[in-house]
Amino acid sequence: MATQTRDAAIVGIHEYPQRSIDGMTPLQIKAESAVRALQDAGLNWSDIDAVYDAGDGAQGGMAGLSISEYFNIKPNVIDTTSVGGSSYEFHASHAKRDIAAGKAHVALLTYGSTARSQSFNIGTGGRMTAGPPTPLGNMESSWGMTLISNYALVAHRHMHEYGTTSEQLAEISVVTRAHAMRNPEAKRAIEELELLPGVREITVEDVVTSRMIADPLHLLESCIISDGGGAVIIASADVARGCPHTPVWLLGTGEATKYSEHGGDITTSAAAQSGPTAFGEAGVTASEIDIAMIYDSFTITVLTILEDLGFCKKGEGGSYVEGGGLYFDKPGQPALNTDGGGLSSNHPGMRGIFLLIEATRQLRGDSSSQVPDAKLAVAHGNGGMLGSRHAAATIILGRD
Amino acid sequence: MPEPKKKFDLPMPKFPEPDTEPFWDAAKNHELRYQVCDECGGIVFHPRRHCTHCPSLNLTWKTSKGEGVIYSYSVVRQNYHPAFRERIPYVIAWIDLDEGFRMLSNVVGVDDPASDVSIGQRVRVEWQDFEAASLPMFTPA
Ligand SMILES: [Zn+2]
């Protein structure tokens, strides 16, 4: 624990409760979430001196500036890292860095999306077919690689190398749905968005008999498409000690990217690089983690990342997720995505912020699937495409 | 029997795009090209301005034999893009070419994509000619 520092903590959170948001813009969702998170933290707009923004809702292409003006804040630090669903873990990592360096004291992260109500095509349309020519667009857009088929490339290779089965991958969907059914907001989403196979828990059989979208991945192995948003406030130790909730410390952070490489192994994700950095800085190991908030765009994303973060050896993810050990009420393994995840609660396109929010709820003792005496959580965001190029960041969180 | 004329065109490479234009120019002659660094011998693909292995700007285009193995694949069964929707189910794959580079493509010329395609399968390039470009696809060798 020699290297562990407690210089920055999550002190305010808000998850926008609706999954189908009519008549609101992403900017409004961000602002409303920010206000609720400020109330949660007992802070005011004037306390914020650092803003982190992935450009969702940016006006005039001026990410960082436009959000500051809309909020009416004058930050000393602006960070507009935009790497898809992992953006918020990058933002948290940078907020810790900037607070530790004394450049900022209170950092605001916000997210807002109306992906569902505006019917953004976030996965099953042609990729990179609009816009100006790019090298990657020219080399990839003619083959019809959908988002899910990109992830399916990883799943197939994982099955080929390690004997992983669809039934094992399905276990991830099953435990996530069980947690969603305990979360009133997720349960309402399942009802409102008419998720298959209805408002109930699901079985491995349900998953492997659901429609095949891109072999070997089925419909019930895929994240849902919802509206949503949220906000997270990260503060220095001095500020955090005065906030109403127990501080949730950012104990360690790591960031990484991964691309297709000649002869490379696509069953290993960027988590294999970001994980050791984060765990090393926090001075903890995977075996000590109580809560695993892992970006669940698809089942294979979770399986791969659990391996890469060291919860089990590479190739043993299939057996690791079997047997129900990832349920919130089963000791011995971490509780997985206790809010219901992207698979069964919400996925407005970039769900990384919800990983931080649910990890914070757990460490405060406020989750709808509360792990008794939870002390350590990991939030791992993965943005982009698992089978070709993605960015990932790992955040280790803990309480006093 | 010739295939019925496709109603919708596949998305095609767009120009000007100086990195990939030589690749697609050669593709019109059914040549599958990749770059090799003059300084370190490293292979660069997708095409780029620079060597990705050493600080060199001197790359030479080479032509692949177009033979390799399937590293991984997926059978796409849902795509709302009209050109792909009418081709469903089709196979996307990472192909490891024998020269040492990996490229994305389709595996074509199989009766049942779910049972006739496998990881490790040997494939060779098969060109499909369209007005805008010739696309390198792969078929079991
Ligand atoms: Zn070189």
Side-chain angles (χ1 to χ4, degrees), chain A residues 131 138 142 144 153 156 211 215, chain B residues 11 14 72-74 77-78 90:
Chain A
N138 273 4
S142 296
L153 292 167
H156 245 163
R211 189 159 53 90
D215 304 26
Chain B
K14 296 186 287 193
S72 194
Y73 74 99
S74 176
R77 299 181 186 276
Q78 176 175 313
Y90 60 88

Side-chain angles (χ1 to χ4, degrees), chain B residues 81-139:
Chain B
H81 186 293
F84 293 114
R85 185 165 51 196
E86 64 188 12
R87 287 166 169 81
I88 283 171
Y90 60 88
V91 178
I92 62 148
W94 283 121
I95 310 293
D96 280 345
L97 278 299
D98 290 348
E99 289 85 359
F101 65 99
R102 180 174 291 173
M103 71 174 287
L104 188 71
S105 186
N106 295 134
V107 178
V108 296
V110 295
D111 290 334
D112 179 1
S115 59
D116 298 346
V117 176
S118 58
I119 290 173
Q121 191 173 17
R122 294 240 9 125
V123 290
R124 59 177 164 74
V125 70
E126 178 176 295
W127 295 91
Q128 294 203 356
D129 297 328
F130 298 86
E131 195 172 331
S134 290
L135 302 180
M137 300 192 179
F138 289 82
T139 190

